[in-house]
Structures are given as structure tokens and as C-alpha cells.
Amino acid sequence: MTLRVLYICGSPNQTTQMHQISSFLPEAEANFTPYYGGPILDFAKKARLCEFSIAGTKLTRRCLDYLEAHSLKLDIGGRRGPYDLVLTCSDVVVPDNILGVPIVLVQEGILDPNNVLGELVRKFPVLPRWIAGTSTTGMSRAYSRFCVASAGYKRYFARRGAPEERLVVTGIPNFDNCARYLTNDFPHRGYALVCTSDARETLKLDKRREFVEWAVEKAGGRPLIFKLHPNENLRRATRELKRWVPDALVFESGDTNAMIANAEVLITQYSTVVFVGLALGKECYSYHPMEELVELVPEQNGEAAKRIADVCRDLMAARGADLRDGVAA
């Protein structure tokens, strides 16, 4: 009997990761959905109260555009279950209709910094995890396996209460072979690249003028290139940068990884792309403590999607054995 697998997607990075993993599980029936979370989140989405998140209409539309462009089978909200296995890009919200199904959680990348709200959620688990953003990733314990980027991240999540026996170091797709970005056709070289964030759009504090001044300082006189986050207000951000640093180049789109590969310095706020810079040996700056980031850099094994697929196979094989033995999986 063919196994039925549901892939819960989200941002462009999360969606492409899920697509890659599915290509290494060709024996399973693959179904894809944008991120969802049940009736309460559905109501918030209709009221446009979650536009700052991967459950918002904008990122849902981008996710659907990608899935449809690649002719992937859709099951919006996992309504055509039950499924034998679910892979999800986030456990900040866990839909009721996948509880009781083996879940493989896949780390996307860097997390929001720990904050007061995150500590409150840890102290009072009845609070919704989403109030603290992605800093509560791994805290649901609803998953059977959690595929993480590196041994450093395994220690990181274990310290924050994730069951260590469920954590598997696989690396993460899109960040497991950064050396491939060195071959590119981006025409510029020898600059400082500044990757902005969507902090303002996700209801976080962002003193943008201070960040730009900090970036100019860290650039050390090198030419500046700004790469805007795809989820931010591009018109506003471009207008600000043209006013504050008129000589800088500003890119609203393009291959960020190629830009990093050709840069001498990488300056970020909260972006996962800092891991690309560190993996390529660039001089990097981030709002996250750099010594922590160095420990967390994703494994450069070049086969993260395959390893995650193997984790899924092992989990389903064990579940099959448990069921044959009459043991609840």
C-alpha cells in the first residue's frame, strides 16, 4: 500500500525545502499545503490578522504559486487525510487534524532571538507558542522526529526542552552546500552586502536608520549593496535607502546567495543567510551573537534533503513494525 505523506509548507525557503525532500521519497504519495492551523488561525487569516506570518494571505499566495508552477498535488489544510506521515516546516502551530500522525519537523533556518514572551511560554505551556514567534520552535513536542541543521543546533534545542532522543542532525536543504554559490554570474565583486529583514512587517522592533548607520560602519569604506527581504515593504525600504545612502545599490530581488558569494563582508539583522556567509568564510555581522552563530552553522553535507527522507523511511519502518507487533505507534 502506498504511503500518503502531507508536506506543510510556508515561506519560499520552507516550501522549496519540502519540495526537495519529497523528491527523495518517490515511493510515497506526496500532497502539499500552505501553512495552516485550524479554525482560530483560519479566522485570523480571513480577518487579515496574521499577515506578518507564514499563515498570512501574501505568503500563502506565494506558496501556492510555487506549488502550482511545479504541478505539485495540493491538499489545502490536509482535508483529504488521513495521512501516514506529515512533514511540517514549523510546530509553532500544530493543526488538530495531524495530531496522532507521525510528524517530522524540519528546521527552516535561524530562529527569532529568545525573548520575554518565549520565556513565558516555556514557563506556562498553556500559552500559545506563536506569541513568541519562531523562538519557540521545537517546544510542541508533537513531532516524532525533528531534523535540525547541525550538532550545535541539536544542543541548542535540547537545552530549550526539546526531547533529545527525537532530534536528528541532518543539515537543512538550501543551506547544506553553500560552496555551490561561488559559481555565479552576479556582476559585482568586492563589496559589503547588507541583507535587511522583514522585522517591521512581522511586528518586531526595527530601528532601520540605526541599522543602516551600523552597516555603513561595518562596511569599512567598501561599496555597499543592499538586498531587501522579499517580505518587506519594498517601496518604503528602497525610498529610505536612496535617501540615507544614495551611492548604494539596492536590489529588491535576485539571487541572494550569489551576492553573498561575491561579497567581502556580509551584514545582516536576523536572516538565515548569515549561515551562507559563515560557511563561505566571509566577514560576517549579525544582530545574533556571532560566537553562537559559528556553533550553529548548518552541516555542509550536500545531502540534507536525502537524509531527511531517510529519517522519514526509518520512522515509517519502525511504525510498521510496531503496528505488526500490536504496539501503538
Side-chain angles (χ1 to χ4, degrees), residues 178-191:
C178 296
R180 71 182 184 271
Y181 303 131
L182 293 170
T183 302
N184 64 73
D185 57 3
F186 189 65
H188 304 280
R189 293 183 181 274
Y191 49 85

Side-chain angles (χ1 to χ4, degrees), residues 2-324:
T2 301
L3 294 177
R4 302 187 71 229
V5 179
L6 178 67
Y7 296 87
I8 301 178
C9 305
S11 68
N13 183 49
Q14 291 166 325
T15 302
T16 54
Q17 288 192 158
M18 289 297 172
H19 187 194
Q20 290 176 67
I21 296 164
S22 71
S23 70
F24 287 96
L25 280 172
E27 68 271 29
E29 177 195 311
N31 298 265
F32 296 82
T33 177
Y35 199 67
Y36 70 100
I40 294 177
L41 194 59
D42 287 345
F43 172 80
K45 185 173 184 175
K46 289 177 182 177
R48 301 186 73 84
L49 298 176
C50 52
E51 287 306 293
F52 59 91
S53 74
I54 57 175
T57 56
K58 181 167 68 172
L59 284 178
T60 294
R61 185 65 260 168
R62 287 181 183 171
C63 177
L64 284 171
D65 287 346
Y66 178 91
L67 298 176
E68 291 166 354
H70 289 82
S71 302
L72 300 176
K73 187 176 181 180
L74 300 179
D75 181 12
I76 309 301
R79 297 189 182 98
R80 293 201 301 271
Y83 285 95
D84 300 294
L85 179 69
V86 174
L87 283 87
T88 183
C89 63
S90 172
D91 71 332
V92 171
V93 176
V94 180
D96 289 343
N97 68 345
I98 66 170
L99 293 175
V101 179
I103 297 171
V104 175
L105 173 62
V106 179
Q107 183 184 351
E108 175 196 15
I110 207 165
L111 307 180
D112 291 335
N114 195 28
N115 52 42
V116 173
L117 291 175
E119 291 304 319
L120 280 174
V121 172
R122 288 182 179 85
K123 189 173 182 179
F124 303 104
V126 295
L127 293 173
R129 290 179 297 278
W130 54 261
I131 65 172
T134 61
S135 69
T136 58
T137 296
M139 289 180 58
S140 74
R141 299 187 171 212
Y143 47 84
S144 300
R145 298 290 183 272
F146 182 7
C147 295
V148 301
S150 63
Y153 260 118
K154 182 176 182 179
R155 292 189 291 270
Y156 175 95
F157 287 116
R159 287 195 301 267
R160 282 155 177 75
E164 189 169 3
E165 70 278 6
R166 302 185 203 172
L167 302 175
V168 187
V169 179
T170 56
I172 49 177
N174 297 339
F175 297 96
D176 64 343
N177 181 19
C178 296
R180 71 182 184 271
Y181 303 131
L182 293 170
T183 302
N184 64 73
D185 57 3
F186 189 65
H188 304 280
R189 293 183 181 274
Y191 49 85
L193 177 67
V194 186
C195 292
T196 60
S197 79
D198 60 347
R200 288 182 285 190
E201 288 70 23
T202 54
L203 307 184
K204 301 181 184 71
L205 180 65
D206 182 8
K207 298 179 180 179
R208 181 55 64 94
R209 181 66 181 265
E210 289 185 14
F211 171 68
V212 172
E213 291 173 351
W214 180 66
V216 171
E217 175 192 343
K218 296 302 180 184
R222 297 176 180 86
L224 276 167
I225 291 180
F226 284 83
K227 171 59 173 64
L228 302 182
H229 191 285
N231 194 41
E232 66 179 306
N233 184 324
L234 300 177
R235 182 178 298 178
R236 175 182 62 183
T238 300
R239 184 175 63 247
E240 292 169 342
L241 293 171
K242 290 297 185 183
R243 183 168 70 249
W244 297 334
V245 278
D247 293 334
L249 295 177
V250 180
F251 287 87
E252 296 183 357
S253 61
D255 187 345
T256 305
N257 296 316
M259 297 178 192
I260 295 170
N262 292 2
E264 291 184 1
V265 178
L266 173 63
I267 303 160
T268 69
Q269 291 176 278
Y270 303 108
S271 176
T272 302
V273 299
V274 69
F275 287 141
V276 178
L278 289 171
L280 295 178
K282 303 295 181 179
E283 180 182 338
C284 294
Y285 299 94
S286 170
Y287 279 178
H288 291 276
M290 195 53 58
E291 63 275 10
E292 180 179 292
L293 293 180
V294 169
E295 181 187 357
L296 299 177
V297 174
E299 280 197 357
Q300 298 298 294
N301 54 49
E303 56 177 21
K306 177 181 180 298
R307 292 188 180 192
I308 295 168
D310 288 341
V311 168
C312 295
R313 278 192 198 92
D314 291 345
L315 178 62
M316 294 313 298
R319 178 176 169 81
D322 285 345
L323 291 174
R324 285 193 299 273

